[in-house]
């Protein structure tokens, strides 16, 4: 059995500032390769001798590669920040066209939308339920604006952009349909 305190995994190397190119170029083949005894996985675990890793980290080659990698990650971070700002500006500037429907048509479409989603219930519909259904239908009708979020992937900027877009959509619905404003405010609070 291998003493794991003497070895570093690839994830451990990344935590120390290594990237995949640096691992391949400066360390080469793993010292030990095998299955992880702590969990089942198809991919074998690559382990690098800690003493060898520390020795390579003291070399000028490693310091040069780490400096280049640091500049690359800073540039990538700046690019992501530019994309985030551009998407937020686009969301703020985009005019949202809420469909203007007569009350009876909006109710009919809201009920139809609810049934298309597979919801079934008792024959009678309360006024509160109808308001929720109408806001849900209008939110769905405005989902084409979700494409404004393209280019942001799984980071804090995307969450911020989604909140801004949701808020703008609910504010636009409330402006066109004042009787739905209370439900729109409620959803903005719940969906923070």
């Amino acid at each position: 059995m291998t003493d794991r305190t003497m070895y570093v995994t690839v994830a451990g190397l990344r935590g120390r500032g290594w990237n995949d190119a640096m691992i391949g170029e400066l360390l080469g083949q793993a010292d030990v390769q095998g299955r992880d005894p702590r969990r089942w996985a198809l991919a074998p675990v690559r382990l690098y001798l800690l003493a060898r890793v520390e020795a390579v980290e003291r070399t000028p080659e490693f310091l040069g590669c780490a400096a280049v990698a640091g500049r690359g990650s800073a540039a990538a971070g700046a690019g992501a920040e530019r994309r985030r700002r551009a998407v937020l500006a686009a969301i703020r500037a985009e005019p949202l066209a809420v469909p203007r429907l007569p009350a009876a048509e909006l109710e009919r479409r809201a009920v139809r939308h609810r049934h298309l989603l597979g919801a079934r219930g008792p024959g009678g519909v309360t006024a509160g339920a109808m308001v929720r259904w109408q806001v849900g239908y209008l939110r769905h009708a405005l989902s084409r604006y979700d494409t404004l979020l393209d280019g942001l992937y799984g980071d804090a900027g995307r969450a911020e952009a989604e909140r801004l877009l949701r808020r703008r959509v609910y504010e636009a619905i409330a402006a066109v349909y004042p009787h739905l404003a209370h439900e729109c405010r409620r959803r903005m609070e719940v969906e923070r």
Side-chain angles (χ1 to χ4, degrees):
M1 186 82 178
T2 305
D3 180 6
R4 300 239 171 208
T5 60
M6 295 175 49
Y7 292 90
V8 179
T9 64
V10 172
L13 289 171
R14 288 187 184 123
R16 295 172 71 104
W18 291 74
N19 62 32
D20 290 340
M22 292 166 60
I23 293 170
E25 184 179 323
L26 299 175
L27 288 176
Q29 294 287 11
D31 295 304
V32 176
Q33 189 166 329
R35 299 282 177 213
D36 189 344
R38 293 169 290 181
R39 61 183 163 272
W40 186 88
L42 289 175
V45 175
R46 294 180 292 159
L47 298 174
Y48 296 87
L49 192 61
L50 181 60
R52 185 165 74 101
V53 169
E54 290 172 340
V56 170
E57 287 176 344
R58 289 188 291 270
T59 64
E61 291 85 8
F62 174 81
L63 298 175
C65 288
V68 170
R71 283 194 304 269
S73 65
E81 178 61 21
R82 277 192 307 276
R83 282 191 309 274
R84 184 187 74 80
R85 278 190 260 124
V87 168
L88 291 174
I91 290 170
R92 286 185 189 101
E94 184 72 23
L96 302 179
V98 178
R100 295 176 186 270
L101 303 169
E105 179 65 15
L106 179 57
E107 284 184 14
R108 188 186 70 72
R109 289 187 185 190
V111 170
R112 184 171 181 269
H113 176 70
R114 179 83 174 165
H115 288 284
L116 287 174
L117 292 177
R120 300 281 186 248
V125 177
T126 66
M130 181 54 69
V131 167
R132 288 190 302 277
W133 294 2
Q134 288 173 348
V135 173
Y137 164 73
L138 290 167
R139 173 66 183 103
H140 176 74
L142 297 173
S143 62
R144 67 182 176 273
Y145 293 107
D146 291 348
T147 59
L148 293 171
L149 300 171
D150 290 350
L152 294 176
Y153 306 101
D155 58 5
R158 180 162 181 103
E160 179 184 2
E162 286 173 348
R163 282 191 303 274
L164 175 61
L165 181 60
R166 257 193 320 268
R167 192 188 85 224
R168 289 229 34 237
V169 164
Y170 287 133
E171 287 172 349
I173 292 170
V176 173
Y177 298 98
H179 70 282
L180 302 176
H182 179 71
E183 175 63 15
C184 290
R185 280 192 303 276
R186 185 192 72 78
R187 286 186 182 215
M188 281 189 276
E189 286 296 319
V190 170
E191 296 177 11
R192 281 186 179 212

